[in-house]
Amino acid sequence: MQFNLSFLAFSVLAIMATASHAQSESDLEQPSGNQLPTITTQAETDEKPYVAKTASAVLRSDAALFETAQSISVITNQQIEQKQAKTVAEALDGVAGVTSGQYGRRGWDDFIIRGQISSSQTYIDGLRVQASDNVLRAEDISGLESIEVVKGPTSVGFGLALPGGLVNLTTKRPQAETSYKGALSYGSYGLKEATFDMNYAPNESAKGAFRVVGRVSDQDDPTDYVYFKNQYIAPSYNFDLGDKDDLSVIASYQHRKYIRQQGIPYSKGDYKNYSSSLFFGEPDYGYDVDVYRIGANYAHYFDNDWTFKQNLAVTKTDTKGNAILASGTNILPTIKRAINNQDKQDINYTLDNHLQRNFDFGKLNYDVMVGVDMMRERSDYYRRTDTINDFNANDPSYGNVSIKKIGAPSQEITYSQYAGLYLRNTIKIDDHWIIGLSGRHDWTQVEIDNVLKNTATKNSDNAFTGSASVMYGMNDMFAPYISYSTSFMPVTDAGENGTLLNPEEGKQAEVGIKLQAFEQRLQGYVAYYDLTRKNVTESDASGNFSIQTGEQVTQGFEAEMAAALTEQWNVAATYSYIPTAKITESVTASEMGKRSNHIPKNASSLSTQYYFSPDQFGWNIGAGIRYQGSRTAQRNTDFVYLPSYALFDVNAGYEAKTWGAGLSIKNLFDKEYLVGTTPNAQLVNWGDPMMVRFNVKFKY
């Protein structure tokens, strides 16, 4: 399969021509009530909803979550603010079925969904951000309106994907009301942050409106010499093309400079004898990351009730780093070290086009969507690992780096591309039965060029994935369902003979019930799932090539609820029980039956926020608890036991019409705990100690 940027250019030109033609037809009718609204025409109010009723970006429609036979969690902007989350990983903490930040504060968004590592499955406004395995990304949270977490296989809607699920970040876009907002934050470990959000709507309409969001932050880490600096800006504009067309464009730039926190060697439990603030790297040996993104959303409403939508984005990421890491197995107090020199240059093009229409036949309602999407990514990755002098944990010393051995460099350029054709059918019968039938066929190609060895490896595949579901709406409060879905994921790993391995495959059966109450201000679900991932790739013991170890199985229960019980009282609760998360087939006999890394059997969270006034002005208070059951992490002979922990959070604030102030304390009792390990299970990572954050905000 071959395609290139000429298709993107042609599509954009065609859409602009259509838009220009539609603008001249000012006497056309308004879109039908059955048409799907675009994100550019949503009005903003000062009272942002605490509970989401839809997940329009990942569903590509305004279908209600209550009528969707799939487990989807939506973290609204109000919930993000209540959590005082500064990263996507923090915002995901406590979501049912999700483990976040399992590799510590290394400066990347790490998360596991339903027992499967899903960090590379981040989407922005419904488009994949990156396909390569070495993600090295952390999206800025200040530019987000909400976070949508889809659990289970998603290939039928998004093509190549691992079966655990995905995280979609919806960005802030121009709104119909002019407003100017800003906030200043100060907190533990030198946190200093300023954000602004300016929306200008000259006609008191979202059409023709302009918005710009920005953030500057600087924070040290509880680990000595570790810091995170971030700058972000995102302007967006809605064109006024008349009643039949919507066009929104958004651009963003993010710069990050940081030193990763990477814990301390487990060393048969000897880590307990050392401070959690111990840093075995070197000051100023870290990462510089620049991310440039531009995207556009277009919609055209035809007279015959069809809707055409196009969504495209181009993302360029430049990453340079020379982090100092632990090398091999270490017995404290001696830590062997190496400099991991990295230069990663990525550019990603994504495009989605689809047509949708709703047919109302009285007792039968039929919604159909047909679309084609595609992606092309070029990833140029240079690496060289140099061995340096050891570190003595009993006598820390910095600034005396000496190279013992210069490593052999490697540089690979990976081209990943796919095109997919999908069809989605939703049939609603007699306002009770909802039947979903979806199918998709993908054509993929992966090419890896070894620059230094002057070799190339290429592999082309195609795959069909599908999903089927049946839901019964018992009443306005309960809707049980059953679903089955499949997935596939091409790999960039080469086997012993140098050829690329087969794609991974996945499948999931799920049965559950959707819940809603209090005039839809309560949304939730309870579900049981049985998920299987096949053709899983791992490095061979020699480290020279990859192998496909076979099969992993995850089975579990989830329960989740978010509710605005009254105008003054919000509550959210989640519970996950994963009794089975293990390797069921492997070429390595010792791997059989092992539990997947970092997956607790039990995890739960409960949070609440109370406003002393029905209009939510004046004082408010909140509290929460997050529980994580015990976990294990292992690789080869390395085994780490991670004890369970419970963390308490509290917050209080005051809201006036033009200003507000808030104070939050995370990990109120300053509990010391292990959040996870490094991927090789040789280092343990301490979780966040008590964090105090104070903020003031202004709004006009």
Side-chain angles (χ1 to χ4, degrees):
M1 178 200 66
Q2 296 287 341
F3 64 89
N4 51 45
L5 292 182
S6 61
F7 185 88
L8 287 174
F10 175 79
S11 299
V12 174
L13 291 174
I15 291 307
M16 294 304 293
T18 303
S20 177
H21 173 70
Q23 185 179 11
S24 65
E25 299 177 357
S26 59
D27 57 340
L28 293 178
E29 298 178 357
Q30 294 287 339
S32 165
N34 291 328
Q35 302 289 357
L36 302 179
T38 67
I39 60 175
T40 63
T41 60
Q42 296 172 348
E44 181 185 62
T45 65
D46 288 336
E47 298 179 359
K48 295 179 180 178
Y50 180 77
V51 179
K53 302 175 185 178
T54 64
S56 57
V58 291
L59 294 177
R60 296 192 177 104
S61 77
D62 62 349
L65 288 174
F66 180 70
E67 297 183 349
T68 303
Q70 189 173 16
S71 300
I72 300 176
S73 302
V74 180
I75 309 169
T76 63
N77 187 268
Q78 188 173 346
Q79 292 176 22
I80 293 174
E81 291 180 356
Q82 179 180 317
K83 288 185 174 186
Q84 290 286 294
K86 299 300 181 183
T87 66
V88 172
E90 281 189 33
L92 294 175
D93 196 9
V95 174
V98 177
T99 300
S100 65
Q102 72 275 10
Y103 297 145
R105 299 180 298 272
R106 63 175 185 168
W108 311 340
D109 291 330
D110 294 309
F111 50 88
I112 299 171
I113 305 176
R114 288 189 170 175
Q116 302 298 326
I117 297 174
S118 304
S119 306
S120 62
Q121 300 196 163
T122 300
Y123 290 69
I124 295 180
D125 296 328
L127 295 177
R128 193 180 189 99
V129 176
Q130 187 169 343
S132 58
D133 294 334
N134 299 284
V135 184
L136 306 176
R137 302 186 65 90
E139 304 298 336
D140 192 281
I141 199 170
S142 65
L144 303 184
E145 193 63 48
S146 65
I147 301 174
E148 301 167 339
V149 185
V150 184
K151 291 86 174 279
T154 57
S155 285
V156 72
F158 297 92
L160 54 95
L162 294 171
L166 63 83
V167 169
N168 179 68
L169 313 176
T170 62
T171 55
K172 295 178 178 178
R173 298 298 180 96
Q175 304 296 320
E177 182 180 1
T178 297
S179 63
Y180 305 95
K181 303 174 183 178
L184 298 173
S185 299
Y186 182 80
S188 301
Y189 301 99
L191 170 64
K192 298 177 287 293
E193 179 180 276
T195 63
F196 64 88
D197 182 354
M198 298 182 293
N199 188 89
Y200 178 59
N203 302 314
E204 295 303 315
S205 167
K207 289 181 177 289
F210 171 79
R211 187 173 186 174
V212 59
V213 179
R215 175 191 183 203
V216 177
S217 66
D218 186 353
Q219 182 174 21
D220 294 329
D221 190 84
T223 303
D224 295 339
Y225 302 105
V226 174
Y227 62 83
F228 301 93
K229 301 177 186 294
N230 186 84
Q231 295 90 42
Y232 173 82
I233 188 168
S236 54
Y237 179 69
N238 291 345
F239 289 86
D240 188 353
L241 303 178
D243 296 330
K244 289 290 185 177
D245 296 271
D246 290 317
L247 176 61
S248 173
V249 296
I250 183 171
S252 65
Y253 168 70
Q254 179 188 27
H255 174 73
R256 296 192 299 132
K257 183 178 177 65
Y258 63 96
I259 293 180
R260 62 187 287 179
Q261 182 266 357
Q262 52 187 313
I264 187 172
Y266 182 73
S267 188
K268 300 180 180 180
D270 290 340
Y271 72 92
K272 299 176 183 177
N273 300 323
Y274 295 87
S275 170
S276 59
S277 64
L278 179 65
F279 177 63
F280 64 78
E282 291 288 336
D284 299 325
Y285 279 72
Y287 294 89
D288 274 284
V289 183
D290 292 289
V291 182
Y292 311 82
R293 187 175 189 273
I294 185 167
N297 304 95
Y298 173 77
H300 177 70
Y301 305 95
F302 293 95
D303 290 339
N304 57 4
D305 290 339
W306 284 95
T307 299
F308 171 77
K309 290 187 178 182
Q310 182 180 79
N311 190 8
L312 65 90
V314 179
T315 305
K316 186 177 186 299
T317 307
D318 299 334
T319 303
K320 292 182 175 60
N322 59 351
I324 293 180
L325 312 179
S327 177
T329 301
N330 290 278
I331 302 299
L332 291 169
T334 302
I335 303 176
K336 294 175 286 187
R337 304 186 301 172
I339 296 179
N340 188 22
N341 299 285
Q342 296 171 282
D343 189 343
K344 194 169 190 290
Q345 310 292 317
D346 300 332
I347 187 163
N348 179 286
Y349 307 90
T350 50
L351 172 69
D352 172 67
N353 299 283
H354 65 262
L355 283 165
Q356 182 272 343
R357 184 176 175 180
N358 182 274
F359 297 88
D360 192 348
F361 301 112
K363 290 189 175 183
L364 187 147
N365 187 281
Y366 174 52
D367 191 277
V368 61
M369 179 183 294
V370 59
V372 58
D373 61 11
M374 55 191 62
M375 183 209 73
R376 177 176 172 85
E377 179 178 276
R378 181 185 188 274
S379 178
D380 186 347
Y381 196 12
Y382 171 88
R383 284 169 287 182
R384 193 189 75 239
T385 302
D386 301 335
T387 304
I388 65 171
N389 54 304
D390 297 343
F391 183 87
N392 186 348
N394 289 339
D395 185 20
S397 177
Y398 304 98
N400 56 349
V401 174
S402 60
I403 297 178
K404 292 182 177 180
K405 181 181 179 181
I406 297 179
S410 67
Q411 183 176 4
E412 293 180 338
I413 301 177
T414 302
Y415 298 93
S416 304
Q417 55 188 7
Y418 73 82
L421 177 66
Y422 59 90
L423 174 66
R424 189 175 76 187
N425 302 281
T426 305
I427 305 168
K428 190 172 185 179
I429 304 173
D430 199 25
D431 289 331
H432 288 288
W433 292 97
I434 301 176
I435 301 172
L437 294 171
S438 300
R440 177 187 177 104
H441 200 93
D442 280 278
W443 296 264
T444 70
Q445 179 176 287
V446 177
E447 177 182 343
I448 301 177
D449 296 342
N450 191 310
V451 177
L452 302 181
K453 295 182 180 180
N454 196 27
T455 61
T457 306
K458 183 184 294 186
N459 188 22
S460 298
D461 284 291
N462 68 90
F464 177 83
T465 53
S467 68
S469 64
V470 177
M471 171 178 272
Y472 180 71
M474 299 173 60
N475 48 43
D476 291 337
M477 297 179 64
F478 303 102
Y481 68 90
I482 185 171
S483 67
Y484 178 82
S485 53
T486 61
S487 69
F488 89 107
M489 182 71 178
V491 301
T492 59
D493 302 288
E496 186 174 8
N497 58 2
T499 60
L500 295 179
L501 299 175
N502 296 325
E504 293 191 5
E505 298 177 352
K507 61 181 181 179
Q508 176 187 269
E510 178 174 326
V511 59
I513 185 170
K514 292 294 183 76
L515 315 168
Q516 70 175 10
F518 300 108
E519 298 179 337
Q520 302 181 17
R521 298 194 313 273
L522 181 152
Q523 297 286 327
Y525 74 89
V526 179
Y528 168 79
Y529 61 89
D530 186 340
L531 183 153
T532 301
R533 178 183 174 189
K534 297 182 177 181
N535 297 339
V536 181
T537 61
E538 289 185 353
S539 296
D540 178 72
S542 67
N544 296 325
F545 57 89
S546 296
I547 54 176
Q548 293 184 291
T549 58
E551 184 177 278
Q552 295 178 4
V553 171
T554 308
Q555 298 170 336
F557 297 87
E558 290 173 2
E560 187 168 279
M561 180 273 293
L565 297 177
T566 69
E567 294 179 346
Q568 299 171 245
W569 188 18
N570 297 329
V571 177
T574 67
Y575 175 67
S576 303
Y577 175 58
I578 307 178
T580 302
K582 63 182 180 180
I583 299 172
T584 53
E585 293 181 11
S586 174
V587 296
T588 306
S590 61
E591 294 291 320
M592 293 287 291
K594 283 188 176 181
R595 188 169 179 85
S596 300
N597 288 354
H598 303 114
I599 309 302
K601 283 190 177 181
N602 294 278
S604 60
S605 68
L606 174 65
S607 64
T608 183
Q609 194 78 16
Y610 183 78
Y611 298 86
F612 287 87
S613 173
D615 59 11
Q616 297 191 0
F617 286 125
W619 291 100
N620 64 82
I621 57 174
I625 180 174
R626 295 168 284 146
Y627 172 77
Q628 190 86 311
S630 60
R631 297 136 293 139
T632 58
Q634 51 195 313
R635 185 179 181 186
N636 299 326
T637 59
D638 295 303
F639 177 87
V640 177
Y641 174 74
L642 302 167
S644 62
Y645 61 86
L647 306 177
F648 295 85
D649 308 323
V650 295
N651 67 80
Y654 185 88
E655 290 287 334
K657 186 175 182 180
T658 59
W659 66 277
L663 175 69
S664 68
I665 305 176
K666 306 190 73 170
N667 191 2
L668 176 65
F669 300 110
D670 199 22
K671 182 176 180 60
E672 194 172 72
Y673 64 100
L674 295 178
V675 71
T677 72
T678 49
N680 61 10
Q682 293 179 358
L683 307 181
V684 292
N685 296 297
W686 296 100
D688 291 338
M690 183 174 68
M691 295 279 191
V692 180
R693 294 169 179 170
F694 176 74
N695 72 82
V696 292
K697 54 187 177 181
F698 309 93
K699 45 189 177 178
Y700 299 97

